[in-house]
Amino acid sequence: MDSGGSGLRVVVGTAERGPLAHRASAGPVRTGDRGIDPGHFMAQLVPLVRALTAEAGPVRLTAAAVGAAGLASLGDALRAELPDALAREFGVRRVALAADAVTAYVGALGSRPGAVIAGGTGLIAIGTDLTGWRRADGWGHLLGDCGGGAWIGRAGLEAALRAHDGREGGSARLLACAEDAFGPVAGLPGALYPRPDRPAVLASFAPRVAACADRDPVAAGILRAAARHMADSAAAVCPAEGEPRVTVTGGLFRMGDPLLVPLDEELTERLPQARRVPAEGDPLHGSVRMAAELCAGPLTLPGGDDTMLYVTTLSGD
């Protein structure tokens, strides 16, 4: 399972045959006073799994791996209740609950030392030397996520408003893009601030910034600053010894060369000992890898931090 801001994605399969069926929910799992809501998680999950097991044929569910956005800081209720709920509903006895950064890492690099920059609406870097996990950023759009989609979009809109006001650092191109996307920018604060999906709205402007970068030095400077933030986070978590692998994963990097070229340059400067490699898969692929490994025995990933990776085996396995 992969639970994120766009919804819940679920795969059912076997260790021998691999993934057999895949479905996704229409909306994300709710977050409330107790953090990630385990009741809403199960309400989303049960019909998906019932449909998937019908599609996949006779499959006995014995292990589950869940990658969840916000697990590190909002996952107490999920860790307390989800393993028992999965056992009652599906007979699952071995469960791994992981921060989505962990499943992003496993999907991208497997069980090898290195660092992964996971970028979408937000931004987090995670690294391991296979003895423990290190993370940098991932603090949300108000406190961090520096270089992520919401950060880039907000910086682009700030440049648009600077141009509207006649202040230095503004961009007439970004102002035109902002008005095309949102209407007159004078009304942007009133339209944006009350929205519960404000990070996603900000991130929706990031591709516009990338589209202007080849002919607008302000837009190019925003993407260069984003790349610098990403490289800072990667350098904070990457193992210092050996030849660690470094890669990126997430929808943010579909912006292509306007972001990837400066990021390559910044990573080369900050992490000359690291080897850049393409990501092997996405966070859902990481969850599938972890579930398959759980079927065979203990995970080879580092433990010791339940906020990042919590593994439980219930009696009756």
Side-chain angles (χ1 to χ4, degrees):
M1 291 160 265
D2 176 53
S3 177
S6 61
L8 179 64
R9 298 187 297 160
V10 185
V11 166
V12 164
T14 70
E16 297 79 16
R17 298 165 61 194
L20 300 176
H22 166 254
R23 293 203 178 197
S25 68
V29 175
R30 193 164 49 229
T31 299
D33 294 340
R34 300 173 62 224
I36 303 169
D37 186 338
H40 190 237
F41 190 103
M42 289 300 294
Q44 295 262 48
L45 180 66
V46 169
L48 291 174
V49 174
R50 296 296 182 209
L52 287 168
T53 52
E55 180 181 343
V59 175
R60 178 173 173 260
L61 302 179
T62 61
V66 181
L71 186 80
S73 54
L74 299 170
D76 286 348
L78 208 63
R79 283 185 287 270
E81 299 179 21
L82 193 62
D84 286 335
L86 291 171
R88 287 193 305 270
E89 192 67 41
F90 305 119
V92 168
R93 296 294 174 184
R94 308 195 71 201
V95 177
L97 301 179
D100 60 340
V102 171
T103 52
Y105 188 100
V106 177
L109 291 181
S111 298
R112 293 187 291 271
V116 171
I117 304 168
T121 298
L123 194 289
I124 189 171
I126 184 168
T128 182
D129 57 3
L130 302 185
T131 64
W133 295 102
R134 295 188 66 184
R135 59 166 281 183
D137 213 336
W139 300 119
H141 77 291
L142 293 178
L143 298 175
D145 284 355
C146 298
W151 187 96
I152 292 171
R154 190 213 57 79
L157 290 172
E158 181 189 345
L161 289 167
R162 284 180 173 275
H164 173 269
D165 295 346
R167 291 179 287 152
E168 290 185 1
S171 165
R173 287 187 184 274
L174 290 174
L175 175 59
C177 288
E179 291 185 327
D180 180 61
F182 301 108
V185 294
L188 189 56
L192 181 63
Y193 290 160
R195 292 188 61 152
D197 60 344
R198 184 169 59 245
V201 177
L202 291 170
S204 73
F205 194 65
R208 301 265 192 156
V209 178
C212 292
D214 65 339
R215 56 191 185 280
D216 186 317
V218 173
I222 291 170
L223 295 183
R224 171 64 66 174
R228 193 173 300 118
H229 282 305
M230 293 180 198
D232 286 345
S233 293
V237 303
C238 190
E241 303 299 326
E243 188 186 23
R245 293 167 172 81
V246 176
T247 192
V248 301
T249 184
L252 181 65
F253 300 102
R254 288 197 289 267
M255 291 197 298
D257 284 351
L259 179 59
L260 292 175
V261 169
L263 179 57
D264 279 339
E265 294 170 356
E266 296 293 335
L267 287 172
T268 298
E269 180 177 342
R270 293 299 307 275
L271 292 169
Q273 83 281 14
R275 180 155 63 95
R276 284 293 310 278
V277 296
E280 296 172 357
D282 68 3
L284 183 59
H285 182 60
S287 291
V288 169
R289 280 180 160 176
M290 291 170 64
E293 194 169 336
L294 276 178
C295 289
L299 291 178
T300 57
L301 299 167
D305 184 350
D306 286 351
T307 66
M308 297 297 288
L309 177 60
Y310 177 71
V311 180
T312 182
T313 300
L314 300 179
S315 61
D317 186 16

